[in-house]
Amino acid sequence: MRKISLFFIGAITGALIAAVAAQPQVFTKARAASADTYRQLNLFGDIFEHVRAQYVEKVEDAKLIEAAINGMLSSLDPHSQFLDAKNFRDMQTQTRGEFGGLGIEVTMEDGLVKVMSPIDNTPAQRGGVQPADLITHLDGEPVKGLSLEQAVEKMRGPVNTPIVLRIQRKGVEKPVEIKLVREIISIRNVRFKIEDDVGYIRLTSFQGERTIKQLEESIAEIKAKIPNDKLKGYILDLRNNGGGLLDQAISVTDTFLDRGEIVSTRGRAEASQRYNAKAGDLTNGKPLIVLINGGSASASEIVAGALQDHKRATLLGSRSFGKGSVQTVMPVGGYGALKLTTARYYTPSGRSIQAKGIQPDIELIQDLPEELKGKVEPRGEASLKGHIKANDGEEQAGSPAYIPPDPKNDIQLNLALELLRGTQKNSAFPPNPKAVPN
């Protein structure tokens, strides 16, 4: 292990020396900066050797290095992280759309695991886990001191084995304990139903590679069950959809567009990339309303932003989460992978929604039941510690991420149905199809 550790340090410093030596014409200021970086790496090596040799208890070299890497990445933004070999394999499994666990999308906040959203029809959702819950203990063991990957690993395990989550919930004085039983989480990202003369499609995540296929199948079934002359339009529900794969977001958007840009990405080290729609709107231009709220993030915002900019859909609900950055997963030898924020994405009109979110065309805040008032807080990227700042400095706080379990109480969904059927009117619906992004 010592050889591996010294290899890491030596490789880094050696690469820096080679880079400086290869450019004799470099500016003095740049050369001084490289020399300073070299000294800092020497400092890291010295401290590493002191800790491994003199710390009161023996520590593993690999754990020290991984902790140093995680510390470096956590200082950048909430979404950059190192995945060890096992977590990298788990991520690849999740990307394929099936994994074992509880069914919770989580992030880290102040050393605790924060629930972004429970996935529909999973142990977490059925057990009553709520967005913004803070998980403080797992089977009685504190979460404090664990990395996000370590906490997620503890929540995963053999199927049919139990785990107890101790949760700190805003507005509830005593900790909430929820016992869940692990299951194989086979993600069905797309669900649909027929609302008489309206096709309702709910996308819960863009994680699986099968998202676009499931969407195409759903649209085909809706068209088969509702005659074209009776079909008033579609509702695309992206509320509490925390995002996922960029390529799936592009494909989903392309489903509703005939032409034009979908999204562009711009980074410091990478050339700008633009992604355009191909001909063929599977919904044949039928009216479209997209539902969003404070739990709509990342890939959801790519879809919503493109459809809004192209005036293809009317956005209804509340301000989205505001995650406007792109993460690239880079395998690192046999050690795992680096998940690094490498770019911002921009909607077709050139908007960066980082730490701002997307404002819907029709804002309608969902009412909270009495028992949840004061307990469900607005959600947004701008509230995450260490987030990448908005381009123009004007940040927005996001909005609540609550959907009533009974559709009868869902005022956002009901207004969408009324607009499509013509029983309610709003100047934002339908959008002007002749207006296109600048």
Side-chain angles (χ1 to χ4, degrees):
M1 185 56 68
R2 174 176 170 79
K3 289 182 179 179
I4 293 174
S5 305
L6 294 178
F7 167 77
F8 271 121
I9 299 168
I12 294 170
T13 54
L16 283 169
I17 293 170
V20 173
Q23 300 183 46
Q25 303 301 321
V26 72
F27 292 105
T28 303
K29 188 174 181 180
R31 187 181 290 122
S34 297
D36 185 60
T37 302
Y38 180 73
R39 285 194 295 271
Q40 294 293 327
L41 285 169
N42 270 341
L43 172 63
F44 171 78
D46 288 344
I47 292 175
F48 175 80
E49 287 301 328
H50 281 302
V51 171
R52 69 189 301 274
Q54 299 176 31
Y55 185 66
V56 64
E57 294 179 354
K58 183 177 175 57
V59 288
E60 294 180 21
D61 292 357
K63 287 187 176 180
L64 283 177
I65 292 174
E66 186 172 331
I69 292 171
N70 285 326
M72 174 175 62
L73 295 175
S74 65
S75 71
L76 300 176
D77 68 84
H79 309 294
S80 295
Q81 61 184 125
F82 173 70
L83 305 171
D84 63 21
K86 185 178 186 310
N87 285 326
F88 183 35
R89 288 194 300 271
D90 289 344
M91 188 204 73
Q92 291 173 309
T93 299
Q94 186 170 340
T95 298
R96 290 192 292 271
E98 185 174 278
F99 60 95
L102 304 176
I104 318 175
E105 294 175 356
V106 295
T107 187
M108 209 73 175
E109 185 172 290
D110 295 329
L112 300 177
V113 175
K114 184 174 184 178
V115 176
M116 293 183 68
S117 179
I119 299 170
D120 284 355
N121 197 33
T122 61
Q125 190 264 339
R126 294 193 300 268
V129 176
Q130 297 179 11
D133 279 350
L134 292 173
I135 301 174
T136 62
H137 291 73
L138 298 169
D139 276 340
E141 296 184 13
V143 168
K144 279 274 191 184
L146 298 179
S147 67
L148 181 60
E149 296 73 32
Q150 290 170 329
V152 169
E153 178 65 21
K154 284 183 175 291
M155 286 187 279
R156 293 181 179 176
V159 174
N160 295 326
T161 58
I163 184 172
V164 176
L165 310 185
R166 186 179 302 171
I167 287 170
Q168 179 182 316
R169 184 171 291 167
K170 187 175 180 181
V172 178
E173 187 176 343
K174 294 183 178 180
V176 177
E177 290 205 347
I178 300 177
K179 183 177 181 180
L180 303 175
V181 178
R182 298 178 179 91
E183 295 179 2
I184 290 293
I185 309 298
S186 298
I187 300 178
R188 174 76 187 178
N189 291 328
V190 185
R191 295 179 175 84
F192 79 95
K193 61 182 177 179
I194 306 297
E195 292 283 355
D196 191 18
D197 51 1
V198 173
Y200 170 85
I201 301 171
R202 174 167 169 76
L203 266 69
T204 57
S205 171
F206 291 84
Q207 283 290 5
E209 295 170 347
R210 296 175 293 178
T211 301
I212 183 60
K213 182 181 179 183
Q214 293 173 7
L215 176 62
E216 291 170 348
E217 291 170 349
S218 299
I219 292 174
E221 290 197 45
I222 289 171
K223 291 164 94 173
K225 292 179 179 179
I226 308 177
N228 188 59
D229 60 334
K230 302 290 185 185
L231 181 58
K232 299 292 187 184
Y234 294 85
I235 295 172
L236 180 63
D237 193 344
L238 298 178
R239 293 175 298 177
N240 287 3
N241 183 324
L245 303 176
L246 175 63
D247 65 337
Q248 296 299 297
I250 292 168
S251 296
V252 166
T253 309
D254 196 4
T255 301
F256 301 98
L257 291 177
D258 258 327
R259 62 183 177 84
E261 183 180 309
I262 293 173
V263 68
S264 64
T265 62
R266 306 174 205 170
R268 185 170 64 90
E270 297 180 359
S272 298
Q273 296 189 50
R274 296 181 183 276
Y275 302 89
N276 297 310
K278 298 183 286 290
D281 174 356
L282 288 188
T283 59
N284 303 319
K286 286 286 185 179
L288 176 64
I289 293 178
V290 177
L291 302 181
I292 61 172
N293 67 3
S296 306
S298 192
S300 296
E301 294 171 294
I302 289 174
V303 176
L307 296 177
Q308 184 184 51
D309 279 2
H310 282 287
K311 304 297 181 183
R312 175 62 186 91
T314 296
L315 271 54
L316 189 159
S318 58
R319 184 178 291 276
S320 63
F321 189 84
K323 181 182 176 292
S325 61
V326 179
Q327 283 68 48
T328 302
V329 178
M330 298 169 272
V332 184
Y335 299 100
L338 171 62
K339 181 181 176 186
L340 187 67
T341 300
T342 54
R344 295 175 188 255
Y345 72 76
Y346 295 80
T347 70
S349 64
R351 291 183 292 167
S352 167
I353 58 88
Q354 173 62 22
K356 292 192 290 188
I358 294 176
Q359 179 66 20
D361 303 300
I362 303 173
E363 184 172 42
L364 183 61
I365 305 297
Q366 182 67 54
D367 295 329
L368 293 175
E370 287 298 324
E371 64 270 18
L372 290 181
K373 287 182 178 177
K375 301 175 185 177
V376 177
E377 57 187 9
R379 306 178 61 203
E381 176 84 3
S383 65
L384 297 182
K385 184 177 291 186
H387 68 272
I388 296 173
K389 302 301 180 184
N391 274 349
D392 56 10
E394 295 182 8
E395 300 187 348
Q396 299 287 340
S399 69
Y402 173 72
I403 305 174
D406 187 346
K408 293 179 181 177
N409 301 323
D410 191 339
I411 62 174
Q412 296 168 340
L413 172 60
N414 291 327
L415 177 57
L417 290 168
E418 291 167 355
L419 288 170
L420 287 168
R421 290 168 178 157
T423 57
Q424 283 279 3
K425 303 290 184 183
N426 191 288
S427 60
F429 179 82
N432 178 8
K434 294 182 180 180
V436 295
N438 294 324

